[in-house]
């Protein structure tokens, strides 16, 4: 308990840190362990030094990587001023940040939600519901982003270059899909008590909840940029109402 507290407040990681304690204090580090191939769930009792020795990783480099990741995760990504960007520039930004993040993250969330639902559904009937909602929102968002990247964003770039026309129907469809993703995310928040792990939650369950909380925060920023900035400005520009 005291070690977890020390990690959470001082962010000090050493080769002797136990992996399970580390992921419990900083669940977002789970993805770094996944990239390195370190088992943080069933192998959570081993120290970083032991895990590195097993995989032939340099402990000092691994510790430096983790400490740097903690600093980044704590600082959070710098947010851009969407309203000050050009239409094409904003579409590029959304694709390179929010869409890229979702394409990398959704398969990981689905895999963890399925695992937690199957393994622990017997003691919490809400966990299979969480898995079902994560699967649905992932499928919906992947198809939604494809529509934006293949249909809407090319139109946005054409409109910025001077094309005119009525694009209210595809925009209304995309906004309805945002609402569905928002509703599913709100359901996930409800089913997980605000993404809060209970005392019995294993490290995968904790990593899932941390990932879902981050997914929700990113979705909110992503949809804000589209619904409140990109879509209305593109509609106005397409109708010749105001300069972009
Ligand atoms: Fe998008
Ligand atoms: Fe969207």
């Amino acid at each position: 308990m005291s070690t977890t507290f020390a990690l959470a407040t001082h962010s000090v990681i050493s080769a002797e840190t136990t992996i399970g304690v580390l992921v419990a204090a900083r669940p977002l580090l789970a993805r770094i362990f996944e990239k390195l191939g370190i088992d943080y769930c069933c192998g959570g009792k081993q120290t970083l030094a032991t895990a590195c020795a097993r995989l032939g990783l340099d402990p000092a480099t691994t510790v430096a990587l983790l400490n740097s990741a903690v600093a980044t995760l704590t600082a959070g990504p710098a947010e851009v001023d969407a309203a000050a960007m050009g239409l094409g520039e904003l579409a590029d930004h959304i694709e390179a940040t929010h869409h890229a993040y979702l394409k990398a993250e959704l398969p990981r969330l689905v895999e963890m939600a399925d695992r937690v639902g199957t393994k622990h559904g017997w003691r919490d009937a809400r966990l299979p519901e969480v898995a079902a909602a994560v699967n649905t929102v992932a499928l919906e968002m992947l198809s939604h982003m494809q529509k934006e990247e293949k249909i809407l964003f090319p139109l946005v770039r054409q409109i910025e270059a001077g094309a005119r026309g009525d694009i209210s129907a595809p925009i209304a469809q995309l906004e309805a899909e945002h609402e569905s993703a928002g509703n599913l995310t709100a359901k996930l928040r409800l089913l997980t008590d605000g993404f809060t792990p209970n005392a019995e939650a294993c490290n995968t369950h904790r990593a899932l909840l941390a990932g879902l909380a981050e997914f929700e925060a990113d979705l909110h920023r992503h949809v804000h940029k589209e619904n409140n900035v990109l879509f209305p400005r593109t509609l106005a520009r397409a109708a010749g109402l105001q300069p972009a």
Side-chain angles (χ1 to χ4, degrees), residues 72-155:
T72 314
L73 294 170
T74 305
E79 201 42 90
V80 298
D81 182 3
M85 298 171 96
L87 292 178
E89 187 189 0
L90 180 53
D92 290 344
H93 159 75
I94 289 169
E95 203 170 322
T97 54
H98 300 292
H99 288 200
Y101 156 75
L102 285 171
K103 285 176 200 168
E105 183 69 350
L106 288 171
R108 192 182 82 96
L109 292 176
V110 165
E111 201 267 330
M112 287 194 294
D114 283 346
R115 196 158 13 127
V116 171
T118 307
K119 244 179 137 175
H120 303 296
W122 61 271
R123 65 169 162 74
D124 185 347
R126 296 183 302 172
L127 294 175
E129 277 190 75
V130 168
V134 170
N135 274 271
T136 306
V137 81
L139 277 176
E140 285 188 8
M141 282 307 291
L142 289 170
S143 148
H144 173 83
M145 289 189 291
Q146 202 171 24
K147 284 181 206 164
E148 289 180 336
E149 291 176 18
K150 299 270 185 266
I151 301 165
L152 186 77
F153 291 178
L155 277 173

Side-chain angles (χ1 to χ4, degrees), residues 13-17 32 36 38 47-53 56-69:
I13 300 169
S14 80
E16 293 315 308
T17 308
I32 311 281
L36 293 171
I38 293 177
T47 62
L48 265 177
T50 310
C52 287
L57 297 169
D58 175 43
T61 309
T62 308
V63 165
L65 178 77
L66 290 166
N67 274 315
S68 132

